[in-house]
Amino acid sequence: MRIGIVCYPTFGGSGVLATELGKALAQEGHMVHFITYQQPVRLTAFIPNIFYHEVQVPTYPLFDYPPYETALASAMVDVIKNNDLDLLHVHYAIPHASAAFMAKQILLKEGKTIPVITTLHGTDITLVGKDKTYAPVVAFSINQSDAITAVSENLRDETYKTFTIEKEIEVIYNFVDVQRFTRKPIDAFKKVIAPNGERILMHASNFRKIKRVQDVVKIFYEVRKKMPAKLLFVGDGPERQTAEELSRALGLEEEMRFVGKQEQMEDILAIADLFLLTSEYESFGLAALEAMAAGVPVVSTNAGGLKEINVDGVTGFMGNVGDVAHMSEMALAILKDDATLNGYKERAAAHARKFDISNIVPIYEKLYERFL
Ligand code: GMT
């Protein structure tokens, strides 16, 4: 098949998922064309079946806001026509689904039908999408898609609650390449972070408000009262400074490290003992799944779709949003001794295998085949 993939090229989960999907499809022999404004962060190596088309957004003195959606729709038309694509798969509704609708209409006038599949990822519905400044266009363009998928049952249900959707929303869970995340820890790296064999806790996100990163610091503070531990913060974003300020106020600055945005998550996760995800909402929580694949148990909130991946008492624990006391207690319960910790590590890794790339990519391929 010749497949167009549209996504955000940044570190966000939707872009990561879309890129990994494209890479897996290319490995299956499909021709995959990425259409984005920047090289996707996980698209680093040369893969013969993958093509990258950069959306150019020319500026003009009149434009306070350069019209990205128009440029994207035009790029879609161009790539679809010149590469005779069979279908277009857009990840994150805003503005990808509406640009795809526009491209589809333009191509119809020229006698070409291009099926459009929209995958909803979370904030495109639950946060940004439902804002009244976007909602009518989001609802319309989702309904105009030939197929709609959501990354969890929770997100499917939230979408039905938020908008009047006339079509079936199919749930296709996010996936992880388990093999890639099965890494031996790099000893030298581990020694730098935890020179005295301290437990290593980790959080990775885009540090937006919704992630409640202060709760991560507070949980770490409680854990540190009971055992030697270090905290690694991966990623960057608006709330990083707040997290840093809180860590200084709690006297934790020597015990924490902000390592910024990282591509090689598998190497970092390999040294971690516990992953913390304290979000107010997650449609899925791909970062938590990647942690589990690396054999790292997860203490998370029970918000949104997290319940569908983190099994309470098995792969880690869950607490209500903001319940720092409970989540701290559960973190300590996991970390208390090696035998207990190893049990959680094994069960987290075993559970992640259910979401292995080899189980999920064929579901997308079957979906595509329906439109050929
Ligand atoms: O979490 C973010 O802010 C990034 C966002 C994105 O669109 O990249 O993540 C969403 O999509 C991921 C991949 O499907 C999910 O794993 C995240 O849970 C989801 N984020 C939220 O729902 C807040």
Side-chain angles (χ1 to χ4, degrees):
M1 282 181 249
R2 291 177 297 272
I3 302 156
I5 292 187
V6 180
C7 64
Y8 280 102
T10 50
F11 278 91
S14 62
V16 166
L17 194 280
T19 310
E20 297 296 349
L21 174 62
K23 281 157 55 178
L25 290 166
Q27 235 130 48
E28 294 297 311
H30 303 292
M31 295 294 167
V32 178
H33 294 258
F34 281 94
I35 308 169
T36 68
Y37 59 82
Q38 203 177 279
Q39 178 98 6
V41 288
R42 288 254 179 122
L43 194 61
T44 40
F46 171 74
I47 302 170
N49 291 2
I50 288 190
F51 303 83
Y52 165 59
H53 308 271
E54 192 156 300
V55 181
Q56 303 292 337
V57 194
T59 53
Y60 183 68
L62 190 66
F63 299 156
D64 280 339
Y65 304 99
Y68 175 64
E69 192 172 335
T70 306
L72 175 62
S74 297
M76 286 171 174
V77 170
D78 185 62
V79 174
I80 292 165
K81 270 194 336 201
N82 290 323
N83 299 281
D84 199 17
L85 298 193
D86 295 312
L87 60 89
L88 192 60
H89 187 174
V90 303
H91 292 259
Y92 205 92
I94 308 169
H96 303 151
S98 45
F101 170 72
M102 174 71 93
K104 187 179 169 125
Q105 295 308 308
I106 294 168
L107 288 163
L108 263 181
K109 286 261 178 225
E110 298 179 16
K112 178 160 177 81
T113 305
I114 183 86
V116 172
I117 294 165
T118 298
T119 291
L120 309 172
H121 278 273
T123 44
D124 47 351
I125 300 298
T126 57
L127 194 69
V128 200
K130 72 179 179 197
D131 189 290
K132 69 176 191 308
T133 47
Y134 295 116
V137 175
V138 173
F140 175 81
S141 52
I142 292 175
N143 274 315
Q144 293 300 318
S145 303
D146 295 281
I148 313 160
T149 76
V151 298
S152 65
E153 287 179 18
N154 173 272
L155 182 58
R156 175 197 59 199
D157 298 347
E158 286 298 320
T159 310
Y160 281 131
K161 268 192 247 160
T162 311
F163 299 116
T164 307
I165 300 293
E166 296 140 7
K167 290 199 170 95
E168 188 195 345
I169 302 175
E170 300 169 51
V171 174
I172 303 182
Y173 282 120
N174 282 336
F175 59 81
V176 64
D177 182 351
V178 169
Q179 209 186 340
R180 173 179 162 192
F181 282 85
T182 314
R183 283 284 173 99
K184 284 222 151 35
I186 302 169
D187 285 339
F189 178 36
K190 195 166 181 168
K191 264 224 129 57
V192 170
I193 304 297
N196 303 307
E198 296 91 338
R199 298 286 196 219
I200 300 176
L201 285 73
M202 187 184 293
H203 169 82
S205 77
N206 52 21
F207 286 66
R208 296 199 191 284
K209 262 208 153 37
I210 202 166
K211 307 289 173 180
R212 295 181 65 99
V213 286
Q214 294 95 322
D215 287 357
V216 174
V217 180
K218 290 177 193 165
I219 293 170
F220 179 62
Y221 178 67
E222 294 303 321
V223 169
R224 277 267 313 149
K225 283 182 188 166
K226 299 276 163 58
M227 65 175 65
K230 299 283 180 183
L231 175 62
L232 271 185
F233 264 127
V234 184
D236 212 340
E239 293 296 304
R240 176 187 162 151
Q241 207 184 328
T242 325
E244 279 192 70
E245 277 162 16
L246 182 59
S247 69
R248 275 194 293 273
L250 295 173
L252 293 170
E253 59 271 44
E254 295 301 316
E255 319 306 328
M256 290 172 46
R257 246 179 210 239
F258 290 84
V259 295
K261 295 176 181 169
Q262 298 288 329
E263 273 169 40
Q264 301 303 114
M265 279 306 288
E266 57 274 32
D267 289 332
I268 303 177
L269 283 165
I271 66 160
D273 294 306
L274 183 67
F275 191 82
L276 299 173
L277 194 59
T278 52
S279 310
E280 198 170 307
Y281 179 80
E282 288 291 341
S283 68
F284 184 87
L286 187 59
L289 179 63
E290 290 190 339
M292 283 160 58
V296 183
V298 173
V299 166
S300 71
T301 54
N302 51 16
L306 284 168
K307 294 188 279 292
E308 293 169 58
I309 57 165
N310 192 12
V311 187
D312 205 32
V314 178
T315 60
F317 283 100
M318 290 184 290
N320 292 332
V321 175
D323 192 347
V324 169
H326 177 70
M327 287 187 276
S328 309
E329 214 178 290
M330 294 303 105
L332 283 162
I334 292 173
L335 296 169
K336 66 179 178 196
D337 59 61
D338 286 352
T340 308
L341 175 59
N342 289 338
Y344 281 100
K345 284 188 172 188
E346 273 163 31
R347 290 191 297 274
H351 187 63
R353 278 182 226 126
K354 293 191 181 152
F355 299 89
D356 186 46
I357 192 164
S358 60
N359 296 326
I360 308 291
V361 171
I363 304 177
Y364 276 115
E365 283 178 294
K366 276 215 178 74
L367 170 66
Y368 295 165
E369 277 159 18
R370 294 210 312 250
F371 295 98
L372 291 187

